Amino acid sequence: ENVYWNICKEGCGCCVSIEENDEFFEKWFPNKVLNDYFMLYLLLLYQSYSLFIYAERIETDFSADSQYYLNSKEYSGIQTFLAEMNTFMLKSTHVSVSHIQHQDDFYNYGMKELRIYEDIKSVLSGAGTLGEMQKLVENHEKEECDSKLNTALALLAIWTLFSAITDGLASVDWIFSDNNSRGNPLYWFFSILIIVSIFTIGAVALSRIITRKNKRRSKKG
């Protein structure tokens, strides 16, 4: 009850009130402060100022323009920053620092006074937003890739359609190979049947490609 601690970013102090000579506080306690509590205070400062730097980098290094995050050139920078910050959160933040109760109490008191828990929540919130922006880049690049793929598939389908018609008519010519084949009604029946069938299949394939592309656009909208 006669020991008072105060922790802030400018420093850490301990005040002890004793009425008579106390060997523990006069001889042993100063060494405990230097060897135990001071090191814990340095750990708290390291966490506090590191979080401050990450928060400052989020505010200054990343643009307020949403188009900035759709630029694939910035993708690697965001990814590197998130990896660096997540590594810090993984290796440099602690729930407990000691099996000794009063050292843990001191650490938790410092976490509260330096508002480190609030800083962690704030920085993680900013990191979460950057993660969402990162997904925008991934989705944007995926949509561009899908758009090019759909265009290529449409062109391939058209080319395949005409190729199939040519091959089909060649097959009919081979079946009706006599000189009067064009006067044979079956020749024209099979020719028209092949053309209609191939056009129908091609139309269905193209409609599915267009429908898929429109669904992606509607989801984006």
Side-chain angles (χ1 to χ4, degrees):
E1 296 180 355
N2 60 331
V3 179
Y4 301 91
W5 285 96
N6 186 35
I7 295 177
C8 62
K9 291 185 179 180
E10 290 79 10
C12 172
C14 178
C15 179
V16 179
S17 174
I18 54 176
E19 296 180 355
E20 56 186 19
N21 293 336
D22 191 315
E23 184 176 359
F24 172 76
F25 285 112
E26 290 179 354
K27 293 184 178 180
W28 305 110
F29 189 65
N31 290 329
K32 289 185 66 66
V33 171
L34 289 175
N35 296 327
D36 296 337
Y37 297 108
F38 179 66
M39 297 304 297
L40 291 174
Y41 177 63
L42 290 182
L43 175 61
L44 290 166
L45 284 184
Y46 166 69
Q47 294 178 353
S48 178
Y49 282 107
S50 296
L51 291 167
F52 174 78
I53 290 172
Y54 283 120
E56 189 177 49
R57 287 177 62 184
I58 291 175
E59 293 178 2
T60 59
D61 293 356
F62 300 100
S63 174
D65 183 6
S66 59
Q67 296 300 318
Y68 168 91
Y69 300 97
L70 296 178
N71 188 349
S72 59
K73 294 180 180 179
E74 308 299 337
Y75 177 81
S76 59
I78 296 174
Q79 197 173 29
T80 300
F81 174 79
L82 289 176
E84 178 185 338
M85 197 187 69
N86 287 331
T87 302
F88 167 79
M89 291 293 182
L90 178 67
K91 303 298 292 184
S92 301
T93 55
H94 312 281
V95 176
S96 176
V97 292
S98 174
H99 64 281
I100 301 175
Q101 182 64 38
H102 62 80
Q103 291 179 353
D104 257 350
D105 291 341
F106 173 85
Y107 176 77
N108 289 325
Y109 169 68
M111 293 283 286
K112 180 180 178 181
E113 290 299 305
L114 298 180
R115 302 180 63 84
I116 293 177
Y117 291 119
E118 289 83 353
D119 290 343
I120 290 175
K121 290 180 181 179
S122 176
V123 171
L124 287 179
S125 176
T129 303
L130 279 176
E132 292 298 323
M133 295 297 186
Q134 189 179 31
K135 290 181 181 178
L136 285 178
V137 177
E138 294 174 352
N139 292 336
H140 182 69
E141 292 181 346
K142 185 177 180 181
E143 287 172 1
E144 287 185 349
C145 181
D146 288 345
S147 178
K148 293 178 181 178
L149 179 61
N150 288 334
T151 302
L153 288 175
L155 294 174
L156 180 61
I158 293 172
W159 179 83
T160 304
L161 178 66
F162 286 106
S163 178
I165 291 174
T166 303
D167 293 341
L169 293 177
S171 298
V172 174
D173 286 336
W174 180 78
I175 294 172
F176 299 92
S177 58
D178 58 280
N179 295 330
N180 297 323
S181 61
R182 295 186 182 277
N184 190 336
L186 288 177
Y187 173 84
W188 294 107
F189 173 77
F190 283 110
S191 297
I192 294 172
L193 179 63
I194 288 174
I195 292 173
V196 171
S197 299
I198 293 174
F199 265 112
T200 301
I201 295 172
V204 172
L206 286 174
S207 65
R208 289 186 177 180
I209 294 173
I210 294 172
T211 302
R212 182 182 177 186
K213 189 173 182 180
N214 290 335
K215 284 183 178 180
R216 290 183 179 277
R217 286 181 177 177
S218 63
K219 287 181 180 180
K220 182 180 178 182

